Amino acid sequence: MNIDYATVFSLAPFVSENIVTIIGICLLIGAMAKSSQVGLHVWLPMAMEGWCNWAFLKLHHMREHPALILGPLKRYFLLGKIQEQGQSAGNFITCNGMAARLETLGQANTKDIGSSETRREAFILKDNVFKSWFIGFSEGDGSFIINKDGYLEFKITQPSSDAQVLFFIKKNLGFGVVRLQDKNKNTHCFRVRDKEGLFKLISIFNGNIFMDTRKIQFKSFIAAYNTVYKESIVYINNNYKPVLSDYWLCGFTDAEGCFTCSIIDRPKDGGLVRLRYILSQKGNFEEMQYLGVLLNGKTHYIKNYLGYNMTVNTTKLSLVIKYFDTHPLKTKKSIVYFNWNKLYKLVKDKKHLTEEGLITIKRYNKNLNRLDKII
């Protein structure tokens, strides 16, 4: 079998005209059936739920758009009631009994949005391993955005080469969108903009955020959500602190951590190899100090960065190694860690004190940050 055009066309004179005619007729029938042409038009309406349901759902969701909710008269577009006037705006969809259903759901939606007494049950993410990782990752790379025009948005941006982690997030959450963000900068993003998706995210993060700057941002985000959607969600501060038995640190490292190796030649006794695990933050000094105590590291102010580095050096890395061996990273940084761990084991076995061992370590270090290569 060959799909090369030149080969296929060169063999055309040898194909039976009858067979070509039959193939052409079959393709024509297939196209007619797919587009529901006359004579083959019955299957399409039967296969769908009905245009009324589709139209109703589209317009029903439109009424939740902030621009349509926050107008001067708080009018709902086409459906439901004009709250200021207190009269029905009219339900123009009447087929298949949809008018009654429309009014019922419209009243339920109005109560849900407008009543401060209505309390919604929090969304529960059952996978605690993913939840812990996701919160840590979001505290590093996520953004709670409040736009001037009333839009609320949650976004995580990653290099396009690591877009797989964004699809991993979408799959585990069950909502949100992954899309190309900037073609020139080669970035993708995961984002959530709809009311229900944002409510689920608030349920996940509320009471579980560690970094102080993120708490401030998230608290403002809840207040904006309550204003836009007429809700009364209460901000929870449980003073959560990550531990080495959960995946928060794994997620935060996927976003903000790095594994480094530096080598200094010493002709007399081999080389000096320095391995480091580093977390960086602007602000959040107390939180960085806590992580330093947790991992046997030290926190330093970096003047040119105007922030803090929490660093664990070579002789103190046993807890870091133990943690990431049992809590594997989920971005391509896992490849960096794998290579870095190889270097750690060579240094631990004192291979850097021999000429041959030092050559091997240098070769491995050269490929440390190559995300396409495992040494």
Side-chain angles (χ1 to χ4, degrees):
M1 182 177 181
N2 199 307
I3 60 174
D4 179 68
Y5 283 128
T7 304
V8 173
F9 291 150
S10 67
L11 295 174
F14 302 99
V15 179
S16 170
E17 292 183 2
N18 292 333
I19 293 177
V20 172
T21 302
I22 293 172
I23 292 174
I25 293 172
C26 290
L27 289 173
L28 176 62
I29 294 173
M32 292 174 63
K34 182 67 175 68
S35 56
S36 296
Q37 298 294 330
V38 176
L40 298 169
H41 62 283
V42 179
W43 69 271
L44 186 58
M46 297 176 63
M48 299 177 66
E49 292 182 356
W51 72 270
C52 288
N53 285 339
W54 173 84
F56 164 74
L57 290 174
K58 288 291 183 184
L59 294 171
H60 180 67
H61 288 307
M62 286 174 66
R63 67 188 295 181
E64 296 183 357
H65 194 287
L68 300 177
I69 293 177
L70 297 178
L73 298 178
K74 297 182 182 178
R75 294 190 295 266
Y76 288 134
F77 179 71
L78 295 178
L79 306 176
K81 296 185 176 181
I82 301 177
Q83 293 181 340
E84 298 295 314
Q85 302 295 328
Q87 64 183 16
S88 173
N91 299 322
F92 66 94
I93 299 177
T94 58
C95 60
N96 296 333
M98 286 298 296
R101 180 185 170 194
L102 176 62
E103 186 171 351
T104 301
L105 289 180
Q107 292 171 353
N109 188 66
T110 303
K111 181 180 179 181
D112 181 54
I113 293 176
S115 175
S116 60
E117 297 179 358
T118 302
R119 293 188 177 274
R120 304 176 62 184
E121 292 186 5
F123 171 74
I124 298 176
L125 190 61
K126 296 181 180 179
D127 188 344
N128 289 323
V129 169
F130 169 76
K131 178 181 178 181
S132 181
W133 175 89
F134 174 63
I135 293 172
F137 188 66
S138 299
E139 288 203 54
D141 277 350
S143 298
F144 298 97
I145 301 170
I146 306 171
N147 293 325
K148 294 181 181 180
D149 56 4
Y151 282 102
L152 301 179
E153 181 178 13
F154 173 79
K155 180 187 287 187
I156 300 175
T157 302
Q158 289 289 288
S160 295
S161 60
D162 216 356
Q164 53 84 23
V165 75
L166 301 179
F167 288 100
F168 168 76
I169 290 171
K170 179 185 176 183
K171 178 181 178 181
N172 280 272
L173 288 177
F175 58 89
V177 175
V178 177
R179 59 173 297 174
L180 177 67
Q181 178 170 278
D182 192 317
K183 186 176 182 179
N184 294 327
K185 294 182 179 179
N186 292 318
T187 58
H188 272 68
C189 70
F190 167 82
R191 72 183 189 190
V192 179
R193 288 180 174 177
D194 64 290
K195 175 186 176 183
E196 195 61 30
L198 293 173
F199 173 77
K200 291 178 180 179
L201 286 175
I202 290 173
S203 298
I204 292 170
F205 288 110
N206 207 2
N208 298 311
I209 294 179
F210 174 57
M211 292 293 176
D212 188 56
T213 54
R214 288 298 187 189
K215 288 181 180 179
I216 295 171
Q217 188 183 66
F218 180 68
K219 188 175 182 180
S220 298
F221 191 79
I222 289 182
Y225 183 89
N226 286 337
T227 300
V228 170
Y229 294 112
K230 308 302 180 187
E231 295 283 0
S232 55
I233 300 172
V234 178
Y235 168 75
I236 301 172
N237 184 9
N238 283 341
N239 293 317
Y240 163 77
K241 295 185 184 299
V243 293
L244 295 181
S245 59
D246 66 31
Y247 274 76
W248 184 95
L249 181 62
C250 177
F252 192 70
T253 301
D254 264 322
E256 298 289 346
C258 63
F259 304 91
T260 68
C261 175
S262 58
I263 302 172
I264 301 175
D265 285 316
R266 296 190 302 187
K268 293 183 179 180
D269 54 356
L272 175 63
V273 181
R274 187 182 186 188
L275 296 166
R276 294 188 300 173
Y277 164 70
I278 304 172
L279 294 175
S280 300
Q281 277 286 284
K282 290 186 176 181
N284 300 305
F285 174 67
E286 292 183 1
E287 288 77 13
M288 295 298 283
Q289 277 194 318
Y290 171 83
L291 294 175
V293 173
L294 186 69
L295 295 168
N296 288 332
K298 293 184 178 180
T299 303
H300 304 279
Y301 178 74
I302 308 300
K303 188 175 182 180
N304 60 352
Y305 173 65
L306 299 177
Y308 300 96
N309 275 4
M310 192 290 297
T311 305
V312 185
N313 289 310
T314 311
T315 58
K316 303 287 187 179
L317 284 171
S318 58
L319 274 178
V320 173
I321 298 294
K322 182 178 180 181
Y323 177 81
F324 288 109
D325 281 351
T326 55
H327 298 74
L329 296 161
K330 303 189 183 302
T331 64
K332 285 190 174 181
K333 204 168 287 183
S334 61
I335 299 175
V336 178
Y337 172 74
F338 183 90
N339 293 336
W340 181 82
N341 196 6
K342 286 269 192 178
L343 290 168
Y344 173 78
K345 291 176 180 177
L346 288 170
V347 173
K348 186 178 179 181
D349 293 338
K350 302 187 183 301
K351 299 294 184 182
H352 62 294
L353 301 179
T354 67
E355 183 178 354
E356 183 182 355
L358 188 59
I359 292 174
T360 301
I361 289 173
K362 286 181 177 180
R363 186 175 72 251
Y364 283 8
N365 186 43
K366 186 177 180 180
N367 294 315
L368 175 60
N369 290 298
R370 284 190 60 180
L371 299 180
D372 61 338
K373 185 171 184 178
I374 298 179
I375 55 179

